Amino acid sequence: MIMLPSIYRGIWRAVHTLRKRGTPPCRFLSTCDGLPVGLADAETIFALSSGHGRCGVAVVRASGPASATALRCMAGLSRSLPPPRTALLRSITDSQSKEVLDRGLVFWFPAPHSFTGEDSVEFHIHGGPAVITAVLQALGSVPGMRPAEAGEFTRRAFQAGKLDLTEVEGLGDLIHAETEAQRRQALRQMSGELGHLYQDWTHKLKRCLAHVEAFIDFSEDELIEDGVLNQVDRWVCDLQAEMEQHLKDERRGERLRSGVQVVIAGATNAGKSSLLNTLCQRPAAIVSPIAGTTRDIVETALDIGGFPVLLSDTAGLRESQDLVEREGVRRARERVEQADLTLVVVDCAHLPSDAQQAAAFLQEHLRSVLPTQEQPETVFAADRFLLLLNKTDLLPEEQRQKLDRELRRVSGFPPVCLISCHTNEGLQDFLTVLHSSVKTLCGDPLSGAPTLTQARHRAHLQQCFAALAQYQRYRDIDLALAAEGVRLALTSLGRITGRVGAEEILDIIFKDFCIGK
């Protein structure tokens, strides 16, 4: 969230001073005379929309019925407003002192053709802190205007029907996107693809509910055709199949939105911290020849070929009498259980010289790293583990080739990469394999049907699916209860887009937006 404490303290001081003075609402330039009574009490909001910090151009946005007043007073305009969505170069003045604050562009967006659906105005000014503060304070002195809360512009757009909640969330994700894949997914959701899918399901559920309730109300009068309920049965089955397929996305959209959890695990002194530092290209973790140097989780965010990765270095897995190290090992195993992808690092110097014995050694080592629930498995999930044989620069070339051939021959092994963090040998091949694994976990954000991106979407869809099961369960027992199942399904689906019962989740969604958006 973007915080502007000094700027907004100045605004509130200015507003408070005006109220103490009892400044009348019409104490403005002559261009502001003749305004409707009570405009000073209207809810018009303003904020810096372009983000805090020195920049060439800053954008200050206002939305609400007093926007036109602010534009006239601060841009020195007559009663006529500039053409909509047309840049106009003006001197920006303080409506109280008449001092020129800056010279910039102003834009007028009359309702309903604006982002919020209200009358809106934008001031494109120079991005120095003093200029921004002065303009915001001047806006705060205009009657009927107040600083916006975080996400309030977008909330007004939602309430005006400009965006549904999935589009709002897509916009928020686009603002926070740090990688190319995140940007593509967020832009696709903001464009309404996910919302259109849910709206289509909503229309189908409404049709199902209408047919069931019509059958309940009019079947005794023989006004309903035969087979109406059979048609509803088919529609419900089709919807369930579509939702089930939609839910079986292996959390790809959520994973892309929040980042793939990649954990580096293995024995002490295998080179885990060296690998972390090599990947993030900075000394993020302490590297030492002393075993057990890393005790806690060391995290760093990476962009792997456009996909977000949260990389975690963990304590070396071994038995220890040291209480602190034991806690570090416990946390390491816990993080491996939670990981989307685990990089198992092995010191080549500890491998048997015979290639077949080395393969058997590595299989046993992998089992020691695996989460407890996966211990019985003999085939290691290729999409969950990568085996990295580090310090290959210490092995003779012939031994490396034999080892590589033997491991490729063994079935059920995860992908194996031979690397050296000391010489960087094999790192490029490893990054290619890592990118492929991460891409598989996230999927292609531009292909196929839109995916779930929020945990709340999944929860409401699961409730919707369960409600449709209620329809099938009571269909031949109590049709009223069956109809209630369809109604509950419709409500759960409506909560995703905000069309039904959305009030209790609005604060949760909008609280993470920047002020001015």
Side-chain angles (χ1 to χ4, degrees):
M1 184 183 296
I2 297 175
M3 303 298 293
L4 306 173
S6 60
I7 290 176
Y8 280 95
R9 280 200 297 270
I11 297 169
W12 284 116
R13 281 199 298 269
V15 173
H16 182 65
T17 302
L18 287 168
R19 287 174 177 170
K20 285 179 66 178
R21 290 176 183 171
T23 304
C26 293
R27 189 177 173 185
F28 276 86
L29 299 173
S30 59
T31 55
C32 300
D33 296 338
L35 294 172
V37 177
L39 186 59
D41 298 324
E43 286 286 313
T44 301
I45 57 175
F46 67 90
L48 175 68
S49 293
S50 55
H52 185 45
R54 289 179 176 83
C55 54
V57 177
V59 178
V60 175
R61 172 190 287 176
S63 178
S67 296
T69 304
L71 181 57
R72 289 192 183 98
C73 295
M74 294 183 62
L77 298 173
S78 61
R79 294 182 182 275
S80 60
L81 293 167
R85 294 169 294 282
T86 302
L88 186 65
L89 181 63
R90 303 293 295 182
S91 293
I92 312 299
T93 61
D94 187 319
S95 60
Q96 296 293 311
S97 66
K98 302 183 182 179
E99 177 188 359
V100 176
L101 307 176
D102 192 18
R103 187 166 174 80
L105 298 176
V106 295
F107 291 83
W108 166 240
F109 303 92
H113 304 295
S114 69
F115 175 73
T116 60
E118 304 174 320
D119 286 347
S120 299
V121 63
E122 287 184 2
F123 298 89
H124 291 218
I125 57 178
H126 293 97
V131 176
I132 294 172
T133 301
V135 172
L136 290 175
Q137 287 180 341
L139 281 169
S141 69
V142 176
M145 300 193 71
R146 63 168 177 82
E149 299 176 0
E152 192 168 2
F153 286 91
T154 307
R155 184 165 185 158
R156 291 190 176 197
F158 164 73
Q159 291 170 336
K162 293 285 187 176
L163 304 169
D164 68 24
L165 283 188
T166 62
E167 293 168 333
V168 167
E169 289 164 330
L171 174 58
D173 290 346
L174 187 63
I175 292 171
H176 293 99
E178 296 180 348
T179 72
E180 189 66 12
Q182 286 178 319
R183 179 192 65 78
R184 288 171 178 167
Q185 176 172 273
L187 191 61
R188 188 178 183 187
Q189 181 170 330
M190 191 186 73
S191 68
E193 284 195 43
L194 193 63
H196 293 158
L197 174 65
Y198 296 151
Q199 283 300 319
D200 180 56
W201 289 349
T202 297
H203 293 321
K204 291 177 180 178
L205 282 175
K206 287 179 179 178
R207 185 169 56 174
C208 290
L209 184 59
H211 280 62
V212 173
E213 291 186 337
F215 188 87
I216 293 173
D217 292 338
F218 303 112
S219 61
E220 293 182 359
D221 300 327
E222 298 183 354
L223 298 175
I224 300 296
E225 297 178 3
D226 294 336
V228 166
L229 289 185
N230 292 334
Q231 181 65 53
V232 172
D233 293 344
R234 287 192 292 271
W235 289 340
V236 168
C237 286
D238 290 344
L239 277 172
Q240 281 186 309
E242 291 181 39
M243 289 181 188
E244 186 175 23
Q245 186 64 31
H246 189 57
L247 287 166
K248 287 182 177 178
D249 64 342
E250 299 179 346
R251 293 181 51 251
R252 285 192 295 269
E254 295 168 68
R255 193 179 287 121
L256 176 55
R257 179 177 179 269
S258 59
V260 180
Q261 298 285 336
V262 178
V263 174
I264 305 174
T268 56
N269 270 10
K272 300 185 299 299
S273 297
S274 296
L275 177 62
L276 177 78
N277 293 344
T278 300
L279 291 176
C280 66
Q281 298 182 343
R282 63 183 177 86
I286 298 173
V287 176
S288 165
I290 302 172
T293 301
T294 302
R295 301 293 183 91
D296 209 345
I297 307 294
V298 180
E299 294 182 337
T300 184
L302 297 177
D303 181 338
I304 303 294
F307 292 91
V309 166
L310 185 62
L311 186 64
S312 302
D313 182 24
T314 60
L317 303 177
R318 68 171 181 177
E319 297 295 329
S320 175
Q321 299 302 314
D322 187 304
L323 291 177
V324 177
E325 185 174 2
R326 284 166 60 183
E327 174 61 19
V329 172
R330 186 196 68 78
R331 294 187 181 189
R333 293 195 179 279
E334 181 180 64
R335 187 59 65 93
V336 169
E337 291 186 359
Q338 298 169 350
D340 298 312
L341 179 66
T342 302
L343 309 179
V344 183
V345 183
V346 178
D347 185 348
C348 282
H350 294 164
L351 293 177
S353 56
D354 180 76
Q356 291 184 348
Q357 292 179 1
F361 173 87
L362 289 172
Q363 283 184 318
E364 188 60 33
H365 182 72
L366 283 170
R367 291 191 182 93
S368 70
V369 178
L370 278 171
T372 306
Q373 64 268 25
E374 296 192 25
Q375 288 291 336
E377 297 290 336
T378 57
V379 177
F380 302 102
D383 60 340
R384 287 208 58 200
F385 292 91
L386 294 181
L387 180 58
L388 307 185
L389 305 185
N390 190 24
K391 306 182 184 179
T392 54
D393 54 299
L394 301 179
L395 293 182
E397 180 64 27
E398 183 180 355
Q399 185 178 345
R400 272 189 288 175
Q401 292 178 357
K402 287 183 179 179
L403 180 61
D404 187 34
R405 287 196 300 269
E406 180 63 26
L407 293 178
R408 292 179 188 277
R409 189 182 62 81
V410 178
S411 62
F413 239 50
V416 181
C417 298
L418 278 69
I419 66 170
S420 171
C421 292
H422 179 64
T423 65
N424 289 340
E425 182 181 1
L427 280 176
Q428 193 56 52
D429 292 337
F430 159 63
L431 286 173
T432 301
V433 175
L434 178 60
H435 174 257
S436 177
S437 298
V438 170
K439 185 176 181 180
T440 300
L441 288 167
C442 293
D444 185 349
L446 295 182
S447 66
T451 58
L452 292 162
T453 60
Q454 303 268 353
R456 76 172 194 92
H457 298 174
R458 188 174 301 277
H460 290 312
L461 277 177
Q462 288 170 339
Q463 293 169 3
C464 180
F465 191 83
L468 290 180
Q470 175 180 324
Y471 166 81
Q472 294 177 323
R473 186 165 59 251
Y474 289 104
R475 196 268 198 198
D476 296 323
I477 302 174
D478 188 327
L479 203 54
L481 286 176
E484 183 62 21
V486 179
R487 189 175 292 106
L488 290 173
L490 190 59
T491 300
S492 297
L493 199 55
R495 289 178 187 272
I496 299 178
T497 59
R499 303 305 184 195
V500 180
E503 193 61 36
E504 68 273 18
I505 61 175
L506 292 184
D507 290 336
I508 299 173
I509 292 174
F510 290 109
K511 71 179 177 64
D512 291 330
F513 271 76
C514 305
I515 293 173
K517 193 59 183 174

